[in-house]
Amino acid sequence: MNVLEVRGLTKRYERFTLDNVSFALEPGYIMGFIGRNGAGKSTTMKSMLNLVRKDAGEVLINGRDFYRNESLCKGEIGFVMGEFDCYKKSTLKAITDVTKRFYKTWDDAAYRSCLKRFDLDENKKISELSAGMKVKYALALALSHNAVLLILDEPTSGLDPVSRDDLLDVFRAVISDGTRSILFSTHIISDLEKCADFITYIKNGKILTSTDVESFRSSYRLVSGEREQLEAQKSYLIGYKAHAFGFTGLIRTEDADKFAGCKTAPADLESIMIYTEQEDGHEESAL
């Protein structure tokens, strides 16, 4: 059974529509949720959690309708934002004492284990924690009430590379027993190369694809060639950049035979997103 199912989720605003969003996540995996700013990632998450009222669609947590069982389902979800700056002058202990009252499944032994695992001093104030430690504290709270689904909204934003890498190791450890899953929204695509099992890609409020990372990457190829080749094969390019010596671009793997004489290479997640977001190709300006 999927830990999360989103079916036909729709939210209409005057100038933006989250349009029939659907995807699913099995237990024991990390799903990267990607798309440029304004694509609908935050709207999806807020609609999922009933922080904004949806216009249509369903969300299931472990097979239960979220909207009909909101209190129960929220007890199985841990929501972690990139910035944990509330109650800056309060100690971790004071915040935890209030937080645990909201969860019938609170496990103090699990909380103590997380403090030790993340090297957190509960007598410190929020203002005394680094950005990375704030995220770890938010994770500790989520893991201490037996959440089966962690929803992480830009959790590594603003962290240095070493701290980000440390957190990615934590994320992999969290799902290692196969009982928890993570939905991980980020604009730092290189983080997903290191930890994601699945990718869900949203553009202009619509899901372009939701699949495993390897299938997603293998569906595309990077291509480079000369100007003459660009003009002849432009219609097959998803996106491209033209320069004085030729061009580089992105194609679907099934179209690779159309580019005989050009160089092709495997595509990484970041390149796929960059070229896919181009409405048309463009010329690189000379310096």
Side-chain angles (χ1 to χ4, degrees), residues 229 232-233 236 251 253-262:
Q229 294 166 314
Q233 307 298 343
Y236 292 103
I251 60 173
T253 300
E254 63 196 47
D255 291 329
D257 60 345
K258 309 287 195 310
F259 290 82
C262 294

Side-chain angles (χ1 to χ4, degrees), residues 36-157:
R36 68 186 305 168
N37 291 341
K41 299 190 300 298
S42 294
T43 301
T44 299
M45 289 183 168
K46 289 177 181 178
S47 299
M48 284 170 51
L49 297 172
N50 208 22
L51 299 177
V52 298
R53 188 174 296 277
K54 67 180 176 63
D55 291 309
E58 295 179 284
V59 174
L60 305 181
I61 304 296
N62 277 339
R64 288 189 293 269
D65 185 296
F66 177 89
Y67 305 106
R68 294 179 181 176
N69 305 275
E70 186 168 346
S71 179
L72 179 61
C73 288
K74 280 187 174 178
E76 298 180 334
I77 295 172
F79 182 52
V80 179
M81 299 180 67
E83 293 292 332
F84 192 97
D85 284 330
C86 57
Y87 309 113
K88 292 183 180 181
K89 299 302 180 183
S90 297
T91 64
L92 307 192
K93 184 178 186 306
I95 295 174
T96 299
D97 287 343
V98 172
T99 301
K100 66 183 183 182
R101 298 175 189 173
F102 293 93
Y103 296 100
K104 295 179 180 179
T105 57
W106 181 268
D107 186 338
D108 207 56
Y111 173 68
R112 296 292 163 190
S113 177
C114 284
L115 290 181
K116 182 177 180 181
R117 178 180 178 183
F118 299 152
D119 196 25
L120 290 164
D121 180 354
E122 67 175 347
N123 294 310
K124 282 192 173 184
K125 297 178 180 179
I126 292 294
S127 59
E128 296 175 321
L129 300 183
S130 67
M133 295 305 281
K134 290 176 184 176
V135 176
K136 287 183 178 180
Y137 175 59
L139 279 172
L141 293 178
L143 294 173
S144 298
H145 61 85
N146 297 313
V148 295
L149 173 64
L150 300 183
I151 299 178
L152 313 181
D153 188 10
E154 303 285 357
T156 59
S157 178

Side-chain angles (χ1 to χ4, degrees), residues 15-34:
R15 297 185 178 180
F16 176 80
T17 297
L18 189 71
D19 189 4
N20 196 34
V21 165
S22 300
F23 59 89
L25 179 58
E26 300 175 39
Y29 294 100
I30 295 175
M31 175 177 282
F33 191 32
I34 65 172

